[in-house]
Amino acid sequence: MSYQVEDLGKNMRKLTIEASVEEFEQAVNTVYQKNKNKINVQGFRRGKAPRVIVEKIYGAEIFFEDAANEIIPGAYERAAQESGLEIVSRPEINVTQIEKGKPFIFTAEVAVRPEVTLGEYKGIEVKKPDSSVSEEELQEELNRVREQNSRTITVDNRPIQDGDITVIDFEGSVDGVPFEGGTSENYSLTIGSHAFIDTFEEQLIGKNMGDQTEVHVTFPEEYHAKELAGKAAVFQVKIKEIKVKELPELDDDFAQDVSEFDTLEEYKKSVKASLEEKKEKESKEAKEDEVIEKIIENCSMEIPDAMIETQKRQMAEAFSQRVQSQGLTMEQYFQFTGTNANKLMESFAPQALRRIQTRLVLEEIAKAENIEVTPEEVEKEISELAASYQMEVEKVKELLGEKEKESMKMDVAVQKAIDLVADAAKEVEAPKEA
């Protein structure tokens, strides 16, 4: 295997990787051995037809695609490692030569880590954080706890209002034909939640329990189910129940029910202290974000699109896992939200760019400040990781490769860099509103 590296500009490189005739022949033979029992050739028992006969009947190219897949991963990994490039994206692979008796050649276009030129990063001016808790914020938190401890009661003496919880049966159709996913029974829908498309929920306001009504909506032009995109639909809806939340009174009994305190005043003091602690943490994070944002503005770097695409894809995969952990498929999520995979990916673009910029400048600051990470600090990270997965520390160590340990070490260095620039920042009073 040999390779060449071409600079494409804008922190992009093209690896042209060549596997010799012998290597390609070996890959083809490996594929033949794996698949020969699946190939029927008249006059031969299954799996006994020689490769030359199979290729004569089906063409020499029969094994080429699988042979390419046999070669590419390992050849790319070796070339990437030997090149010394700091690759920060998934490779875009293209096969440029695949013929019998010739070397197998493919290219891999990759993004490499951009150079970062730091500007000012110490003494950054930021707004002085305010972690005080207002009476309105305290009341809001108390109401949130009341919501959590509310009970749902059925009402049958009035029509649906905004905020009500309805239980409905529905069947949707387009041009009189029911469509897949448009039918449900005993569906719980909160009016005003905007869980359904268009004005579906608003059209139920004013209807009574037992009513059967038609709801007319139009699917978005970019709806994920293309056969429904932009189409007008009619839903036959039956109102089966109307429910409301009944909140508990804010008194001593409430305090005793939701906490270890006997009186409402004691409980309120505890809630206020918790809110202050939470706001202090949020203020610290907001300060760090503001400092990092200004540091990014002060530096220069050229982020390749492929790097952003890789980050977006990683974020989309993580989001998909979170959705599925809540019992929804991505198809259901797209249907409920009226979005699609492309729109979801694009929504991650600003955050993806910011994550990349943040990581790059903090790594550069760690380097500029000669920030060191001790073995004890790495041990602590491993212990915390083991605790989060409820695993033995030694087992986690066995599973972690050198690459993962280096990444963990860099994570600690980055956090130290955050602490350094945040501690060095100058807090100034925010201008008072007129």
Side-chain angles (χ1 to χ4, degrees):
M1 188 275 294
S2 61
Y3 68 90
Q4 292 179 332
V5 180
E6 180 184 349
D7 189 341
L8 301 178
K10 296 185 178 181
N11 294 307
M12 294 294 296
R13 302 290 186 272
K14 179 160 76 173
L15 293 166
T16 299
I17 303 167
E18 180 178 315
S20 68
V21 175
E22 292 74 22
E23 288 170 320
F24 183 56
E25 169 63 22
Q26 183 180 346
V28 170
N29 197 55
T30 298
V31 171
Y32 160 71
Q33 294 296 336
K34 286 180 180 178
N35 293 280
K36 63 182 181 180
N37 290 329
K38 304 173 187 175
I39 301 171
N40 282 322
V41 175
Q42 190 174 359
F44 294 89
R45 285 186 292 131
R46 185 185 290 272
K48 297 300 182 181
R51 181 182 139 196
V52 65
I53 299 297
V54 174
E55 290 178 338
K56 186 174 181 179
I57 295 172
Y58 294 101
E61 302 83 7
I62 183 174
F63 301 119
F64 280 8
E65 184 177 346
D66 287 343
N69 292 332
E70 187 82 16
I71 292 174
I72 287 172
Y76 167 73
E77 283 297 326
R78 288 197 301 276
Q81 186 173 5
E82 290 176 16
S83 70
L85 297 174
E86 286 190 73
I87 296 172
V88 291
S89 73
R90 296 182 182 183
E92 183 178 324
I93 303 292
N94 285 294
V95 174
T96 59
Q97 179 171 287
I98 182 166
E99 295 181 42
K100 187 175 180 65
K102 292 185 179 181
F104 171 66
I105 303 173
F106 69 97
T107 62
E109 291 189 15
V110 295
V112 295
R113 189 183 189 278
E115 289 187 9
V116 179
T117 303
L118 291 172
E120 181 184 6
Y121 62 88
K122 288 183 179 178
I124 300 293
E125 287 192 357
V126 294
K127 294 189 294 290
K128 188 174 183 179
D130 179 15
S131 57
S132 61
V133 175
S134 67
E135 189 61 34
E136 291 76 16
E137 289 171 323
L138 175 59
Q139 194 61 45
E140 190 177 298
E141 178 63 16
L142 293 172
N143 286 337
R144 188 186 66 79
V145 179
R146 289 175 71 202
E147 282 275 353
Q148 287 179 338
N149 290 272
S150 64
R151 66 190 184 102
T152 303
I153 60 172
T154 300
V155 294
D156 54 11
N157 58 350
R158 65 163 177 79
I160 294 172
Q161 298 177 2
D162 192 23
D164 286 350
I165 302 165
T166 62
V167 178
I168 60 175
D169 293 345
F170 61 83
E171 181 180 27
S173 61
V174 172
D175 297 329
V177 180
F179 56 87
E180 186 177 353
T183 302
S184 184
E185 294 183 354
N186 298 318
Y187 190 93
S188 181
L189 175 65
T190 300
I191 306 302
S193 65
H194 304 294
F196 277 26
I197 63 168
D198 205 5
T199 58
F200 187 104
E201 295 165 29
E202 289 89 332
Q203 292 179 57
L204 298 183
I205 293 174
K207 302 297 186 293
N208 291 284
M209 188 184 302
D211 283 356
Q212 295 197 16
T213 185
E214 283 190 354
V215 173
H216 295 258
V217 297
T218 301
F219 285 95
E221 289 292 341
E222 296 184 5
Y223 195 62
H224 75 281
K226 292 182 180 179
E227 67 275 11
L228 299 176
K231 297 285 183 66
V234 178
F235 284 85
Q236 302 296 330
V237 181
K238 182 177 181 180
I239 314 297
K240 301 181 78 172
E241 289 185 77
I242 304 172
K243 301 178 181 180
V244 295
K245 285 183 179 179
E246 187 177 73
L247 303 183
E249 291 294 325
L250 201 58
D251 53 22
D252 289 347
D253 288 339
F254 172 74
Q256 292 166 17
D257 287 340
V258 300
S259 71
E260 72 273 22
F261 300 103
D262 293 325
T263 68
L264 179 61
E265 283 307 308
E266 289 176 314
Y267 175 59
K268 286 171 72 173
K269 286 180 182 177
S270 172
V271 172
K272 187 173 184 179
S274 296
L275 285 175
E276 286 172 342
E277 183 179 343
K278 180 184 175 184
K279 286 196 74 174
E280 284 175 6
K281 182 181 178 182
E282 289 173 348
S283 295
K284 179 177 181 292
E285 292 173 351
K287 176 184 175 181
E288 291 172 353
D289 287 345
E290 188 178 355
V291 170
I292 292 168
E293 186 174 343
K294 291 186 175 181
I295 291 172
I296 290 171
E297 291 174 1
N298 293 339
C299 76
S300 63
M301 54 184 148
E302 189 174 27
I303 311 297
D305 290 341
M307 189 177 186
I308 298 172
E309 285 299 314
T310 297
Q311 182 67 55
K312 282 162 52 180
R313 194 175 292 111
Q314 290 171 352
M315 292 169 68
E317 288 169 356
F319 181 81
S320 176
Q321 289 173 1
R322 290 196 299 272
V323 168
Q324 292 176 55
S325 71
Q326 295 169 6
L328 284 177
T329 65
M330 286 306 294
E331 280 297 309
Q332 289 172 321
Y333 171 81
F334 291 144
Q335 184 172 351
F336 293 153
T337 60
T339 187
N340 57 47
N342 289 336
K343 288 172 70 174
L344 179 66
M345 279 282 284
E346 285 312 304
S347 72
F348 290 131
Q351 191 181 353
L353 176 61
R354 177 60 187 272
R355 282 191 184 183
I356 292 167
Q357 291 172 326
T358 298
R359 183 73 179 196
L360 289 174
V361 297
L362 290 172
E363 287 181 359
E364 196 65 25
I365 289 169
K367 181 180 175 182
E369 292 290 328
N370 294 315
I371 291 176
E372 295 183 355
V373 178
T374 65
E376 291 75 21
E377 288 169 327
V378 175
E379 275 297 317
K380 182 182 176 184
E381 287 292 305
I382 294 175
S383 297
E384 290 176 357
L385 183 64
S388 67
Y389 283 99
Q390 298 181 333
M391 295 174 63
E392 295 291 331
V393 172
E394 292 305 316
K395 184 63 177 177
V396 173
K397 286 181 180 179
E398 288 176 20
L399 296 173
L400 288 176
E402 286 305 313
K403 189 175 180 180
E404 287 79 11
K405 289 177 183 176
E406 281 301 313
S407 177
M408 188 175 287
K409 191 174 178 180
M410 182 54 74
D411 289 343
V412 176
V414 162
Q415 186 55 55
K416 285 187 169 186
I418 293 173
D419 295 338
L420 183 148
V421 296
D423 291 343
K426 297 177 183 177
E427 294 182 359
V428 295
E429 295 285 349
K432 295 183 179 179
E433 295 182 4

